Amino acid sequence: MIHEIASVCTYCGVGCDITAVVEDNKIQKIYAQADGYVSRGKLCIKGKSGYEFVDSDKRVRDVRIKKSFIEDNFEAMPRELKARSHTLVSLDEDWYISNYEFATSLSAWKLSEIKSQYGRHSFSAMGGARTSCESAYSLQKFARQTMESPNIDNCARICHAPSLSGMKPTIGEGAATNPYDDIFKTDFILVIGSNTTEAHPIVANRMIEAVRHKTAELAVMDVRKIQLNKYATYEAVMPFEANLLVINMLAYVIIKEELYCQDFIDNRTAGFEEFKNSILNDKYANPTFMKKIKGYEELADTIPQIARKYATGKSMLFWGLGITEHLDGSYAVMALVHLSLMTGNVGKEGTGLMPLRGQNNVQGACDVGCLPYYNPDYQVPKEIGLKTPETVDAMIDGKVKALYVMGEDFTHVHSNQNKVNKAIKNLELIIVQDLFMSDIAQKADIVFGVKSAYEKTGIYVNAMRRLHLSQPIVQNDLPDDWEVLRDIENKIKGEFLYSTSEDVWNDIRIDAPYRFSGASYQKLIKHRSKGMQWPVQRTDTPILHLEKFRTEDGLGQFIYHQYNLREQIQKLVNDEVSETYYLTTGRMIVHYNNSAQTQHSPKLISKHSEDILQISDKDKDKFSSSKVILKNQYGQTDPLTIKFVKTLKKGTMFCTFHHAKSKINYIFGDASDELVKTARFKSTEVEVEQI
């Protein structure tokens, strides 16, 4: 019998509504309904074809325990565990297959032993953005209450943590202010640091449609030309590391030419006069400075054009990891907020600030407290924990001994992988919950196979704050992530009294009342086709900050930060000759992040089976090989196939990061955002070895 079941896409933060055609408990097809609120009837290739991983023969459909872990811990095990160890079945030379009951008991015992021997801070947990809010909440609760450790983090550390740290002090919320469909109600769209057609294609569809219908104009600012440039009235290819420089220049033009909205400033903001004086006296803020940067001189004219257009109509700002994955990502986000505050382009329809979130539930994971410095609802905890890079240092120092990873490939996606792999050797226990034997799963001691997003009930929050209550498309007997955590917790303390995901959600509604108190399962089932945007009380809230901001005094805050001249720009200003290149990284449309699911979907992996290094065609005469290795002080990649393109400036490169075998993240070091330690993935200097 054929069924059609509505759910939500498991990939990027756009959070598209999907309908699955299911026969004999197997997905035959996925499509979007013509009236889909998010999808508007269209899905990207991942949404349409990226479901084959569900039935992959590589799925972990059991619990695995490393043989060396049993051997190393056998003598110390309680008699009861020793007696039950005979139930283990050999899988291969490295792994046993375990029954679930033994594995949860073993996990509870070892976690308790480590806490007893090394103290509560010896535990750290990470992950949560690829699974439901219920599971993300359970992970942070397990860390904070069960293990009594503040060390909890998620993949926002490598993507949009700077968006939160830049938006919260300026307007009080680190989330998108408006719905995607406000693209059809705006006059001007500024996209900076986002390759939207590749990373968030269903949002890009709206932008392209608005431009084609001439309801809005588009400006694109990035370090390379991207597909959106075809539709842009204004395009600016920027130097590497120039985000804060360029955004302050936009502010300079708006202030110098008095294009700001004085009424909005007077009634809804604080600190403008001081900010205004700082910008006007900033030696780098005048766009004429661009005339000193060789190869980028035209920006001295382009930046004022974009600033004028943004300031003189209803405008929306979109950004991605090209803004946040930098040394000054948080400050660049603050600078973007300043543009909206100066011009009144926030708190009303057809305007707003739109950080394009990465994972399908990274917004939700942060909302429910999967951060070391925020409890659910962004309440400050009694004790601040370690951010992931700090956890790595603590592993090396022998302070963190147990790591719990839920759906995050720690030894692939984070920077400075030589250091990360050195760090995990100091751990006494690694527990992983995942769908596949990812890189970190292969290095783990205990691996729990769990349900995928298409096999469970749970709430996901997309990049525009939309809650979607997902339902299972297909059925299996694997546990959900929150169930594994519950069952281990029940053998340590016995306080997770949850029978269903709804039980967990009802606790979230208590712990995060501002956002979720009115969002019952019953209400979300009623609104399943459209979803609801938090905060949800009696109704939901499509647009934030209509009357006041969520700052202490209700006013938008101007927090000036000056750009620091460095690296590529400094070399170009000084006309230095360099034998090195500047590399940036990003996605391509057929894969998602570390390709954890897409590499197990044949229709997708066949289109992109390796990371390709793009090099400017202006540098073509320097290369006689089809493969190169990139090197710097942190490490080196494996050989990369090269492709020459017209979209890059001379001396710059671009590479995807989807395949662990490429070792791209071995050449990104500890350089990171000053406030929240998000790694500088969008810029690193490399040497090239031709093969």
Side-chain angles (χ1 to χ4, degrees):
M1 188 173 179
I2 296 175
H3 303 275
E4 292 202 356
I5 303 169
S7 189
V8 63
C9 182
T10 188
Y11 290 107
C12 78
V14 176
C16 287
D17 43 88
I18 61 172
T19 298
V21 179
V22 180
E23 184 176 13
D24 297 330
N25 203 40
K26 185 179 175 68
I27 300 171
Q28 305 297 324
K29 176 184 177 181
I30 284 181
Y31 70 97
Q33 299 285 353
D35 61 351
Y37 180 68
V38 176
S39 69
R40 301 178 72 246
K42 296 178 181 177
L43 298 175
C44 78
I45 189 171
K46 292 187 294 297
K48 286 189 291 188
S49 303
Y51 58 83
E52 295 165 309
F53 73 89
V54 174
D55 292 315
S56 170
D57 58 8
K58 299 280 180 60
R59 279 287 298 273
V60 180
R61 300 184 186 277
D62 46 39
V63 187
R64 301 178 185 185
I65 302 176
K66 193 156 280 177
K67 289 180 175 179
S68 59
F69 180 77
I70 295 293
E71 184 179 332
D72 292 344
N73 287 274
F74 189 79
E75 288 305 318
M77 282 183 199
R79 182 182 303 172
E80 178 260 337
L81 280 177
K82 284 182 182 178
R84 290 161 59 196
S85 66
H86 75 277
T87 60
L88 296 170
V89 177
S90 180
L91 173 66
D92 55 31
E93 62 181 19
D94 294 319
W95 295 95
Y96 288 118
I97 299 293
S98 168
N99 67 58
Y100 182 78
E101 192 63 29
F102 177 80
T104 52
S105 297
L106 182 66
S107 299
W109 166 73
K110 188 61 180 178
L111 286 166
S112 299
E113 284 291 297
I114 288 173
K115 180 183 174 185
S116 176
Q117 183 175 354
Y118 299 105
R120 59 190 180 88
H121 292 99
S122 63
F123 175 84
S124 186
M126 61 182 64
R130 207 195 300 160
T131 187
S132 66
C133 286
E134 293 87 341
S135 293
Y137 171 82
S138 297
L139 184 66
Q140 65 85 32
K141 186 174 181 179
F142 184 88
R144 289 185 165 113
Q145 295 185 26
T146 308
M147 299 303 296
E148 300 175 311
S149 170
N151 301 329
I152 170 69
D153 209 348
N154 80 82
C155 74
R157 187 64 45 220
I158 56 170
C159 59
H160 271 284
S163 289
L164 175 56
S165 66
M167 295 176 78
K168 202 161 192 316
T170 47
I171 57 174
E173 283 287 4
T177 61
N178 292 58
Y180 303 143
D181 281 354
D182 273 22
I183 289 169
F184 301 119
K185 301 170 184 176
T186 194
D187 302 317
F188 184 65
I189 303 161
L190 172 54
V191 177
I192 181 167
S194 165
N195 188 3
T196 321
T197 56
E198 300 284 327
H200 301 91
I202 303 304
V203 172
N205 283 353
R206 287 169 165 82
M207 296 176 181
I208 293 166
E209 186 178 330
V211 171
R212 283 176 170 166
H213 290 172
K214 300 185 188 295
T215 59
E217 288 186 279
L218 172 67
V220 177
M221 308 182 82
D222 210 310
V223 296
R224 62 190 177 116
K225 288 192 174 184
I226 57 176
Q227 192 174 342
L228 268 186
N229 285 57
K230 296 177 186 176
Y231 308 95
T233 305
Y234 310 92
E235 49 183 332
V237 177
M238 307 183 297
F240 280 53
E241 304 279 342
N243 290 328
L244 182 59
L245 172 69
V246 167
I247 300 165
N248 280 346
M249 287 178 176
L250 294 169
Y252 179 94
V253 174
I254 292 168
I255 291 169
K256 189 74 174 176
E257 298 184 10
E258 297 185 355
L259 302 175
Y260 47 83
C261 180
Q262 192 66 56
D263 182 61
F264 190 92
I265 290 168
D266 290 343
N267 291 302
R268 298 208 52 191
T269 74
F272 177 69
E273 285 303 316
E274 184 179 351
F275 173 79
K276 173 182 172 182
N277 291 330
S278 297
I279 287 287
L280 292 176
N281 290 295
D282 183 338
K283 61 183 177 180
Y284 300 124
N286 190 324
T288 58
F289 177 74
M290 283 295 176
K291 293 179 180 178
K292 300 178 182 179
I293 304 177
K294 189 175 181 181
Y296 297 88
E297 297 90 344
E298 73 279 2
L299 293 179
D301 295 321
T302 307
I303 289 169
Q305 293 171 13
I306 294 172
R308 292 171 193 133
K309 190 67 183 179
Y310 178 83
T312 53
K314 287 198 297 184
S315 299
M316 298 184 77
L317 258 171
F318 292 81
W319 71 91
L321 307 191
I323 286 289
T324 58
E325 291 182 339
H326 281 287
L327 299 178
D328 49 14
S330 295
Y331 297 130
V333 172
M334 291 180 192
L336 289 172
V337 177
H338 298 153
L339 299 181
S340 71
L341 293 176
M342 279 192 291
T343 59
N345 272 309
V346 65
K348 57 189 177 187
E349 190 177 75
T351 67
L353 295 154
M354 307 291 288
L356 290 169
R357 293 280 191 165
Q359 298 248 70
N360 63 331
N361 198 40
V362 67
Q363 181 68 58
C366 295
D367 294 340
V368 300
C370 250
L371 289 167
Y373 38 75
Y374 286 123
N375 279 335
D377 239 5
Y378 301 96
Q379 298 301 303
V380 178
K382 292 179 180 178
E383 186 177 10
I384 304 295
L386 299 176
K387 306 173 189 73
T388 300
E390 295 168 334
T391 297
V392 173
D393 290 336
M395 291 176 191
I396 289 174
D397 293 341
K399 295 175 181 176
V400 167
K401 289 293 186 180
L403 179 66
Y404 204 117
V405 182
M406 186 173 74
E408 180 170 339
D409 197 352
F410 176 51
T411 53
H412 174 180
V413 300
H414 286 272
S415 65
N416 209 348
Q417 280 296 316
N418 280 317
K419 181 178 178 181
V420 169
N421 281 284
K422 175 185 174 184
I424 64 170
K425 291 177 181 177
N426 282 352
L427 296 172
E428 292 190 10
L429 176 65
I430 303 174
I431 299 175
V432 169
Q433 295 178 196
D434 215 319
L435 311 183
F436 298 97
M437 291 301 290
S438 63
D439 193 74
I440 184 61
Q442 292 173 41
K443 296 175 169 73
D445 300 297
I446 303 173
V447 179
F448 289 91
V450 291
K451 292 182 187 293
S452 75
Y454 291 157
E455 297 162 328
K456 61 188 179 186
T457 300
I459 288 171
Y460 297 82
V461 184
N462 76 352
M464 65 175 188
R465 300 174 284 108
R466 173 187 182 259
L467 282 72
H468 181 106
L469 176 55
S470 183
Q471 59 186 328
I473 294 173
V474 292
Q475 306 292 327
N476 69 30
D477 295 329
L478 291 171
D480 200 342
D481 286 297
W482 66 265
E483 291 178 297
V484 179
L485 290 160
R486 175 201 63 191
D487 294 340
I488 295 174
E489 191 280 339
N490 283 179
K491 294 175 178 180
I492 299 175
K493 285 191 172 183
E495 296 174 353
F496 282 22
L497 306 178
Y498 305 128
S499 298
T500 66
S501 60
E502 186 175 8
D503 293 339
V504 185
W505 180 250
N506 286 334
D507 263 11
I508 295 172
R509 292 170 63 199
I510 293 168
D511 284 355
Y514 170 74
R515 282 160 183 77
F516 304 132
S517 63
S520 66
Y521 262 35
Q522 183 180 8
K523 188 180 290 185
L524 292 171
I525 290 170
K526 181 181 177 183
H527 293 275
R528 195 192 300 274
S529 64
K530 186 177 179 181
M532 302 187 81
Q533 287 176 266
W534 67 245
V536 182
Q537 308 298 331
R538 188 175 62 83
T539 59
D540 68 343
T541 313
I543 301 174
L544 293 180
H545 316 302
L546 290 171
E547 296 177 358
K548 63 179 181 178
F549 296 104
R550 289 206 72 220
T551 53
E552 196 170 317
D553 59 6
L555 300 175
Q557 308 294 316
F558 288 92
I559 306 170
Y560 167 77
H561 194 85
Q562 186 177 35
Y563 169 80
N564 293 317
L565 190 66
R566 62 179 183 270
E567 303 194 39
Q568 188 195 32
I569 298 177
Q570 192 163 19
K571 288 184 177 182
L572 292 171
V573 168
N574 296 335
D575 204 18
E576 294 178 30
V577 177
S578 177
E579 296 299 318
T580 59
Y581 293 81
Y582 281 86
L583 172 75
T584 192
T585 62
R587 299 183 199 164
M588 73 168 314
I589 194 168
V590 302
H591 279 303
Y592 184 72
N593 206 24
N594 64 324
S595 67
Q597 296 169 172
T598 52
Q599 67 177 297
H600 298 289
S601 297
K603 291 175 186 172
L604 301 182
I605 191 67
S606 64
K607 297 179 184 299
H608 188 270
S609 60
E610 63 175 320
D611 289 313
I612 305 295
L613 178 68
Q614 295 183 10
I615 301 172
S616 171
D617 61 357
K618 297 180 180 63
D619 291 312
K620 191 172 185 177
D621 60 345
K622 298 177 184 176
F623 291 85
S624 57
S625 171
S626 63
K627 285 184 178 286
V628 299
I629 291 172
L630 302 182
K631 296 180 173 182
N632 59 18
Q633 69 267 39
Y634 306 111
Q636 66 180 53
T637 66
D638 269 15
L640 300 167
T641 301
I642 64 176
K643 178 183 179 181
F644 295 101
V645 297
K646 297 178 180 179
T647 53
L648 287 161
K649 290 271 193 177
K650 184 178 175 64
T652 64
M653 297 175 167
F654 168 82
C655 193
T656 52
F657 51 64
H658 299 302
H659 303 286
K661 63 185 178 183
S662 303
K663 294 189 173 180
I664 296 298
N665 288 344
Y666 282 73
I667 57 174
F668 292 93
D670 286 343
S672 62
D673 179 85
E674 187 175 319
L675 299 184
V676 292
K677 292 191 174 294
T678 294
R680 185 181 61 177
F681 284 115
K682 294 307 178 192
S683 174
T684 192
E685 195 171 1
V686 294
E687 297 175 355
V688 176
E689 178 184 315
Q690 299 194 47
I691 301 172

